[in-house]
Amino acid sequence: MQTPAPFEYERATSLAGAIAALKAAGAEARVIAGGHSLLPMMKLRLASPERLIDINDLESDLAYIREQQGEIRIGALTRHAELLDSELLAEHFPVFRDAEEVIADPVVRNRGTIGGSLCQADPGEDLSAVCAALKAHVVLQGPSGERIVAMREFQLGPYVTVVAPDEILTEVRIRTSPGAGSAYEKVERRAGDFAIGAAAAALEIEGGTIAAAGVALSALAPTTIEITRAEELLRGARPSEELFEQAGGIASEDCAPMADGRGPVDYKRHLAGVLTKRALRRAAARALQTEA
Amino acid sequence: MSVQITVNINGEDVTREEEPRKLLVHFIRETPGLTGTHWGCDTSNCGACVVLMDGKPVKSCTVLAAMAQGHQIRTVESLERDGRLDPVQQGFHELHALQCGFCTPGMMMTARALLDANPDPSEAEIRTAISGGICRCTGYKNIVAAIRWAAEHPATVEQEA
């Protein structure tokens, strides 16, 4: 039987109350939302928080997907199933639906949340790469107010983020833009597993030229990794198979995979190249509305 | 340290002193008469422990009992009413959708939730819905057929909304 180490449990009834509870409890408290990353870690005793602050009762404040001030804003307690089903999200950022279709299974997706996924900062987690490619920002709320952090500065290492012990990630913000296209490509050992490797791509195409580009990989480095050299290559160029092939080549060189049960390094570098190329190809087709 | 936890299971409040670390699957199974929910992989992979929480299927090995307080839990025992089987149970019977039976409660609860949301699912929709459950006996074919059978025979049993 897998049983977490003992802990104390409390339910937050407001966001301010949850932050106050975190502050009072100190560094050994953790927020629990869907629990589908944290509870497995606790069962394996890889995490042993002394106190859990359950924020599931804050759905009316923290579960939403809406368009506001030129951004799509996603509440941290929005569950995977809602991200998958959202037409608003699919319209602006189809990369979310691509990723959600291959995250775990429908029953797990009924519980897991976007905030929990990002804060877990598992190097093989999908939404972190999605949000990095989209150059999303996250809102962190703490006792002294809120701060906004770029997704690309969010992870400090595997399973470690900039979120302070008394802060809660409350919202994800992504700027919308006409001419945007995005896609996610993942290879896994079996349906619903963590990726062997995955690539997220986001392009903005204006007048036939790539005005902005984001490329991020999952499971191909010790953290989510952005391929900035590929982004620089893409920016200002006209989309083409040769360009995407070159960008894939850079991803293959710049990723930093480790050999494990999912495959050796050379295979994973190969995957990084192929998946980056495919994701860019689909992102461009969506931006140009030529997707087959 | 134990705390008082009340979980509403199949319409009845069950209250016990438990540690906060008590998982919902064990809270349910340690309630007299409610061992139908199976405890399988313990890692949210196999789906044997699926119950409905406010009508949605969840893996009860990855939910704390304390987190279920204030929510409506439905287990496999709630399917049969007054000696009459739920169409999902009848479908599993008619089409031989189980051999060892270990995955069956999770499969049936997942099927019940699917049919409540989508009374006429396609084979592809059924296969997607049950993809969080693992069956090592049937190859899934008869399970899919049984759920289709239930969709085609909704009136055999009166169900609560």
Side-chain angles (χ1 to χ4, degrees):
Chain A
M1 185 189 296
Q2 294 185 10
T3 304
F7 55 84
E8 291 178 345
Y9 169 90
E10 73 175 275
R11 276 200 194 188
T13 53
S14 69
L15 181 58
I19 292 167
L22 283 173
K23 190 171 165 60
E28 297 309 315
R30 287 290 296 272
V31 167
I32 187 163
H36 275 54
S37 297
L38 184 55
L39 286 175
M41 296 277 282
M42 289 169 63
K43 285 176 165 189
L44 294 170
R45 308 287 172 113
L46 295 171
S48 299
E50 291 171 4
R51 193 174 188 85
L52 288 184
I53 318 287
D54 182 351
I55 60 166
N56 280 286
D57 290 347
L58 308 185
E59 274 196 338
S60 59
D61 294 325
L62 292 178
Y64 54 82
I65 302 169
R66 61 186 174 223
E67 199 168 3
Q68 192 180 338
Q69 295 175 7
E71 295 176 326
I72 296 293
R73 297 185 172 180
I74 306 171
L77 205 47
T78 307
R79 300 190 195 267
H80 291 297
E82 294 155 350
L83 297 167
L84 175 61
D85 290 343
S86 168
E87 292 303 327
L88 180 66
L89 207 50
E91 178 196 333
H92 288 281
F93 304 114
V95 61
F96 270 101
R97 186 165 285 177
D98 291 349
E100 285 295 352
E101 281 175 342
V102 290
I103 291 176
D105 61 63
V107 181
V108 169
R109 293 198 293 260
N110 280 338
R111 291 295 292 166
T113 67
I114 186 170
S117 297
L118 299 185
C119 289
Q120 177 75 6
D122 188 311
E125 193 276 317
D126 301 285
L127 295 184
S128 299
V130 167
C131 289
L134 292 170
K135 297 178 179 145
H137 287 75
V138 293
V139 179
L140 306 180
Q141 295 209 23
S144 50
E146 72 170 40
R147 60 187 178 121
I148 296 172
V149 177
M151 204 42 222
R152 294 176 171 220
E153 291 161 10
F154 181 73
Q155 291 184 1
L156 297 175
Y159 307 97
V160 184
T161 71
V162 301
V163 182
D166 56 2
E167 282 183 319
I168 296 179
L169 189 158
T170 56
E171 188 175 78
V172 178
R173 296 178 176 178
I174 314 157
R175 189 178 56 80
T176 59
S177 142
S182 57
Y184 195 67
E185 294 281 348
K186 173 173 171 177
V187 170
E188 53 200 352
R189 289 181 301 183
R190 57 175 192 274
D193 197 5
F194 279 99
I196 303 171
L203 295 175
E204 288 173 34
I205 301 180
E206 288 174 16
T209 301
I210 297 170
V215 177
L217 307 179
S218 171
L220 292 166
T223 61
T224 305
I225 182 172
E226 300 89 29
I227 307 298
T228 50
R229 280 206 304 137
E231 293 169 350
E232 285 158 19
L233 170 80
L234 292 160
R235 207 174 305 126
R238 300 182 78 80
S240 71
E241 261 314 284
E242 298 69 40
L243 181 70
F244 298 155
E245 182 81 39
Q246 266 183 286
I250 293 172
S252 199
E253 286 169 21
D254 288 5
C255 66
M258 283 173 291
D260 59 16
R262 291 185 166 85
V265 168
D266 56 348
Y267 168 61
K268 292 187 180 183
R269 284 193 185 280
H270 171 75
L271 267 188
V274 170
L275 296 178
T276 297
K277 182 175 69 176
R278 286 183 191 163
L280 284 166
R281 189 191 287 151
R282 272 172 81 204
R286 284 169 171 172
L288 298 165
Q289 298 181 325
T290 58
E291 190 178 22
Chain B
M1 188 188 71
S2 293
V3 294
Q4 186 168 297
I5 295 175
T6 300
V7 181
N8 186 287
I9 308 174
N10 302 331
E12 286 184 28
D13 279 348
V14 179
T15 301
R16 282 205 302 274
E17 294 283 324
E18 296 282 6
E19 286 187 90
R21 61 177 170 166
K22 175 69 73 176
L23 298 165
L24 179 59
V25 63
H26 300 306
F27 187 94
I28 292 168
R29 286 178 53 83
E30 288 162 17
T31 304
L34 295 182
T35 51
T37 301
H38 285 169
W39 167 45
C41 71
D42 222 347
T43 57
S44 67
N45 280 288
C46 80
C49 67
V50 168
V51 299
L52 305 191
M53 185 162 167
D54 301 331
K56 286 186 183 166
V58 301
K59 295 184 175 177
S60 61
C61 74
T62 309
V63 176
L64 298 171
M67 295 172 80
Q69 187 156 310
H71 298 274
Q72 305 290 320
I73 300 299
R74 228 187 126 178
T75 70
V76 68
E77 286 86 356
S78 73
L79 289 178
E80 174 247 306
R81 295 230 167 90
D82 302 325
R84 304 177 74 185
L85 297 181
D86 184 283
V88 170
Q89 293 172 305
Q90 194 70 39
F92 272 61
H93 173 79
E94 297 291 336
L95 289 159
H96 194 63
L98 62 137
Q99 289 176 33
C100 85
F102 197 81
C103 73
T104 310
M107 286 289 180
M108 292 203 298
M109 294 315 287
T110 304
R112 183 70 265 152
L114 169 68
L115 294 174
D116 287 346
N118 177 4
D120 187 25
S122 67
E123 180 180 335
E125 287 170 331
I126 293 171
R127 286 187 176 274
T128 299
I130 63 168
S131 64
I134 293 174
C135 172
R136 292 284 89 128
C137 301
T138 65
Y140 304 99
K141 192 170 170 51
N142 289 6
I143 296 175
V144 174
I147 297 170
R148 260 317 300 173
W149 188 97
E152 287 158 16
H153 297 79
T156 53
V157 179
E158 279 185 22
Q159 281 289 309
E160 275 180 11

